[in-house]
Amino acid sequence: MAQFTVRDIEEEVKLRLKRRAALHGTSMEAEVRQILRFAVKDEVPLAGPGLGSRIAARFARSGLTEPLPELRGQSPRPADFDA
């Protein structure tokens, strides 16, 4: 397991960590580990193409030549099959 040292933590933060650990019946070190696990639990992957880019790449060999429109920020709407 990896180890690292965090320096210059404010005394108030240390006291709050100590109280929180006591409340949960754990050591301060165990409490900090749990906080760190929770903080990065739902971390978004750092790199890689977005969904639209992956879809475009998948269909590039199928003759897709026009760029796909950007849909980010738009509200979902039902499909129109009559057009």
Side-chain angles (χ1 to χ4, degrees):
M1 290 215 168
Q3 294 183 11
F4 64 91
T5 303
V6 179
R7 292 182 174 78
D8 300 324
I9 294 178
E10 296 87 355
E11 194 62 34
E12 179 65 22
V13 173
K14 180 183 169 186
L15 290 172
R16 287 176 184 253
L17 282 170
K18 226 176 202 179
R19 276 187 254 149
R20 183 176 166 147
L23 181 68
H24 294 130
T26 63
S27 68
M28 194 166 69
E29 185 177 339
E31 189 68 20
V32 170
R33 278 195 300 267
Q34 185 62 26
I35 291 168
L36 291 172
R37 275 187 213 104
F38 182 76
V40 298
K41 180 179 75 166
D42 296 324
E43 184 86 6
V44 176
L46 294 177
L51 178 60
S53 297
R54 293 194 320 262
I55 292 171
R58 177 167 289 186
F59 291 100
R61 292 185 212 114
S62 301
L64 176 67
T65 57
E66 297 177 27
L68 297 174
E70 177 65 50
L71 299 176
R72 185 174 297 146
Q74 294 185 23
S75 299
R77 57 183 185 261
D80 181 12
F81 295 108
D82 295 328

